[in-house]
Amino acid sequence: MREILGRRRRLLSQRGDGGPDLLGAALTFAAEWQWPVLPGVPADPRARSRCACPDPECVIPGAHPFDPAVLAATTDARMVRWWWTNRPAAPIVLATGGRAPCAVSLPAPAAAQALAALDRAGMRLGPVVATPSRWAILVKPYSMEQLGELLYAQDWVPHSLRFHGEGGYLALPPSETGEGGLRWERAPLPGSASPWVPDVEAVVDAVVEALTRTGVSAPEL
């Protein structure tokens, strides 16, 4: 643990062979930030659009846990090191909720316009994970009751909004999935402290307002 805690790392650093440093990133998330992670099932190396899991119709290839299940997520550096030493290409999956961040995600085109509107309004955002099709805004942990009350209070909520809460998961950069590489649209600063994230209320209110104000109807993806 001593060799990990307090050390600054670049989350998008490259290994000597030019590939993403998945082990280094996983150790940063788990040991430094206390975010529970686990290895996901990778995309099928023979066809990146397919998943290596047993489900031939998997709609999120390379972006979900399988073996172990999400309940195995841990912050233990020794377990993380063992996992990625044996499965160096495995995507990094965050178990959302509890003491770890949750997330709100929406289709990438609508997300780009929403974030631009939020920037103009001066709203502070934390890390944002980007895939080719969707962006996920990390938020503070929330309960299902809290989320239900929040959504009930809205006049309109895009059906394409997705919520990664307690018991859920989210793949993190620099993982490679069936869609392609994950990246930080808004990158956390590397360091020993867990990145700041906003409340879910602020994000949902601001995203819905931004989408309404800009006339964006987020597609059903």
Side-chain angles (χ1 to χ4, degrees), residues 113-126:
Q113 297 192 47
L115 261 63
L118 299 183
D119 287 341
R120 291 192 295 270
M123 179 178 172
R124 181 186 179 190
L125 290 174

Side-chain angles (χ1 to χ4, degrees), residues 5 8-9 16 32 38 40 68 70 74 77 93 96 104 114 128 139 141 155 165 168 179 212:
L5 295 178
R8 299 178 68 84
R9 288 191 180 88
E32 294 186 8
L38 75 161
V70 69
T74 184
V93 176
T96 54
V104 177
V128 177
V139 298
D155 293 328
E179 279 195 285
T212 303

Side-chain angles (χ1 to χ4, degrees), residues 150-187:
L150 171 62
L151 297 182
Y152 182 77
Q154 299 291 326
D155 293 328
W156 172 76
V157 177
H159 292 296
S160 57
L161 279 181
R162 295 177 186 167
F163 300 91
H164 308 259
E166 182 72 32
Y169 57 84
L170 181 72
L172 295 177
S175 302
E176 294 283 340
T177 72
E179 279 195 285
L182 273 62
R183 62 179 177 83
W184 294 108
E185 174 63 27
R186 301 291 172 87

